Amino acid sequence: MKLRRIKHEGWYELQSPCPICGHKGWCRINREQTVVYCMRVPSDDYFDSIIGRQFRHVLDSNAVPKIKVEINVNKAVDKKLDHHLNRVYRALLKELSLSPEHYSHLIHDRFFEEKVIQLREYRTMPVQERYKIAKNVISRLSDNSDLLGVPGFFCQEGQYGPYWTMAGGMGLMIPFRTISNEITGWQIRVDNPPLELDIKGAMTGEILEELPRDQSGKRRAKCSIMVQDKPVTVELTEKNKKEISSASGQFVFSVELKQGQRYWWWSSGSKDNGASIGDPLPAHLALPSPCLKYWKVGDTADTIVDCSEVWVTEGALKADKAADGLVKPVFGIPGAGAFSLLLEPLKALGCKHIIFAYDADVVTTKEVEMALGQCVEYFAKETEMQLSLAMWDISLGKGIDDLLDHGYLPQVSTLLR
């Protein structure tokens, strides 16, 4: 079991599958392995955090054997305040460029216009010589310690002493902006997401190595599967589910090779003198692109655009597309359960009406539907804002960005008046 220390003494973030929901990340377990706070499986005992509702589950200490624990040591420092992060990240903007591959993706796959790409300031995380970029960022600032406490940067020991460099996988970098146009974080749309095994049933397994893609371009991997306590080595292909049933037709287990998480926070919380992106996580406010040239750092968005009605979706890139398609301010949150991040920013903008534009499968995805119910309950208690849900047929596009690209607008239904 892989764990990561968090600030709460005696508690750890689960970086192996949660024993309650089976997913990695977000959920946490205590040192004794007797209690799990799960983000996905409801219970009557819960509390609301800035990343969503956390449900308490007590593990049966007799039924659940203690598992060998591998703890990732957290050598991070506290994250700096927003104004400092913005200062560093805007210096970083001047040192990074956008690769031709990522430019092509935004133009041909995302249907962005060239001038919009420039205004939104997307960048590419390079593979090599990141220490040179960090050094150039420092030269634009006042002190060598300015990168301390800035997620993404960390200090590494070298042959001639410690030096600053940058964490993260190679990919498209998407800036997160506050209501005052301060850049306080980035997400990376990684070029090559890690592969994962999706296993159901009484078995375990691990990926040994990734293999060359097949003729159709699907990813492959050599995997070790434990079947009746015996390891079996198999080669699996992405999206090709293997299912085993008994002679009587009863389900026994299934295994499928899947592409893992595509979007990652640019963070360095596991590095020496790095900083975690959390506490709190950023939320991104996207304005229609024509507004960006007039939006000065420090000016709240309501000074240049009407914020009485604000839309909300998941993800910064989707929010950017939606802001242009709807000609409205749109918040991109890091997950459907992270709605509490929006309370104070929405109040500051004078918002009266929130429209949630989650993906079209919101009513069929249990976790998102649950988060939406919690959201309505939360805002009903904390504010007098009107809440609505944007809906459309999934055949017209899964996300609000897809819908708008196809020339359609969603139907808006009131949830709370």
Side-chain angles (χ1 to χ4, degrees):
M1 179 186 295
K2 292 185 179 180
L3 307 177
R4 185 180 70 86
R5 282 195 179 96
I6 59 177
K7 289 187 176 181
H8 301 285
E9 181 66 27
W11 288 90
Y12 304 88
E13 180 186 353
L14 280 156
Q15 295 188 307
S16 295
C18 169
I20 303 301
C21 68
H23 293 273
K24 297 178 183 178
W26 299 96
C27 304
R28 60 180 184 163
I29 191 170
N30 65 347
R31 181 188 291 114
E32 296 76 20
Q33 298 182 39
T34 56
V35 177
V36 170
Y37 275 101
C38 180
M39 296 288 293
R40 302 171 181 88
V41 178
S43 72
D44 294 332
D45 188 357
Y46 63 84
F47 73 95
D48 289 316
S49 71
I50 58 172
I51 60 172
R53 185 161 293 181
Q54 301 196 27
F55 299 97
R56 186 173 186 266
H57 295 266
V58 178
L59 302 178
D60 186 340
S61 58
N62 296 320
V64 180
K66 296 295 187 295
I67 302 172
K68 181 181 178 181
V69 170
E70 180 183 331
I71 297 176
N72 291 334
V73 178
N74 189 346
K75 300 178 181 178
V77 299
D78 290 341
K79 183 171 72 170
K80 289 289 182 65
L81 297 177
D82 287 354
H83 68 87
H84 183 90
L85 301 180
N86 176 71
R87 180 168 161 263
V88 174
Y89 289 149
R90 288 194 178 274
L92 176 66
L93 278 172
K94 298 174 182 178
E95 298 298 331
L96 295 178
S97 59
L98 185 67
S99 73
E101 293 78 15
H102 292 151
Y103 175 81
S104 178
H105 169 73
L106 292 170
I107 290 287
H108 300 295
D109 300 331
R110 297 283 180 166
F111 307 110
F112 277 96
E113 296 179 6
E114 182 177 0
K115 61 181 179 181
V116 174
I117 294 173
Q118 295 172 351
L119 286 168
R120 298 214 178 273
E121 299 180 301
Y122 303 119
R123 294 292 188 267
T124 292
M125 173 58 71
V127 176
Q128 298 176 333
E129 298 188 327
R130 296 182 181 183
Y131 71 95
K132 289 186 178 180
I133 296 172
K135 184 178 180 180
N136 291 341
V137 170
I138 292 171
S139 69
R140 292 181 178 275
L141 305 171
S142 58
D143 194 89
N144 192 55
S145 65
D146 281 336
L147 301 188
L148 188 66
V150 179
F153 292 98
F154 69 99
C155 196
Q156 184 162 292
E157 194 66 36
Q159 183 180 357
Y160 302 105
Y163 63 95
W164 285 101
T165 186
M166 298 154 60
M170 183 179 177
L172 173 67
M173 297 184 70
I174 306 154
F176 272 58
R177 302 174 188 271
T178 68
I179 63 172
S180 301
N181 198 17
E182 291 179 316
I183 298 177
T184 58
W186 301 77
Q187 276 192 340
I188 301 179
R189 184 184 185 274
V190 295
D191 295 337
N192 197 36
L195 290 172
E196 296 180 352
L197 287 179
D198 183 11
I199 298 175
K200 293 179 174 61
M203 61 177 294
T204 59
E206 62 176 339
I207 296 173
L208 300 176
E209 63 173 321
E210 185 166 355
L211 302 172
R213 294 174 183 256
D214 68 8
Q215 293 181 344
S216 64
K218 292 182 180 179
R219 297 170 71 182
R220 301 164 58 243
K222 181 187 291 185
C223 307
S224 176
I225 309 295
M226 293 296 292
V227 181
Q228 296 180 344
D229 296 328
K230 294 181 180 180
V232 177
T233 300
V234 296
E235 293 184 5
L236 298 177
T237 302
E238 185 183 10
K239 299 180 181 178
N240 186 10
K241 188 175 183 179
K242 302 291 186 181
E243 190 168 301
I244 303 299
S245 302
S246 65
S248 61
Q250 186 176 4
F251 172 81
V252 177
F253 67 82
S254 67
V255 59
E256 184 176 3
L257 186 67
K258 286 187 173 182
Q259 180 175 277
Q261 188 174 324
R262 167 72 80 171
Y263 290 88
W264 294 80
W265 286 111
W266 190 43
S267 184
S268 50
S270 62
K271 307 288 188 179
D272 287 348
N273 292 316
S276 172
I277 192 65
D279 199 24
L281 288 171
H284 170 63
L285 180 61
L287 297 188
S289 53
C291 298
L292 295 178
K293 63 180 71 175
Y294 306 107
W295 193 15
K296 297 180 181 178
V297 175
D299 292 346
T300 54
D302 59 309
T303 61
I304 58 172
V305 67
D306 180 13
C307 291
S308 59
E309 178 183 292
V310 178
W311 290 60
V312 176
T313 190
E314 288 187 78
L317 203 58
K318 192 177 295 183
D320 286 346
K321 282 303 300 284
D324 281 338
L326 297 165
V327 196
K328 293 283 185 179
V330 181
F331 263 114
I333 56 177
F339 48 80
S340 62
L341 290 171
L342 301 179
L343 179 61
E344 294 307 320
L346 286 169
K347 284 182 177 179
L349 292 173
C351 178
K352 305 298 182 185
H353 183 199
I354 312 171
I355 303 176
F356 290 92
Y358 294 151
D359 286 355
D361 58 358
V362 59
V363 293
T364 58
T365 304
K366 184 179 179 181
E367 294 170 8
V368 181
E369 186 179 19
M370 181 176 67
L372 184 61
Q374 295 166 7
C375 175
V376 174
E377 176 187 329
Y378 176 81
F379 277 94
K381 179 181 178 182
E382 300 291 339
T383 76
E384 295 182 355
M385 298 177 192
Q386 179 182 343
L387 302 186
S388 297
L389 178 65
M391 298 182 295
W392 59 92
D393 192 296
I394 197 170
S395 65
L396 302 178
K398 182 182 179 184
I400 182 69
D401 52 340
D402 302 319
L403 181 76
L404 296 168
D405 283 340
H406 293 150
Y408 298 97
L409 290 173
Q411 176 184 345
V412 177
S413 177
T414 301
L415 294 171
L416 177 69
R417 188 181 298 276

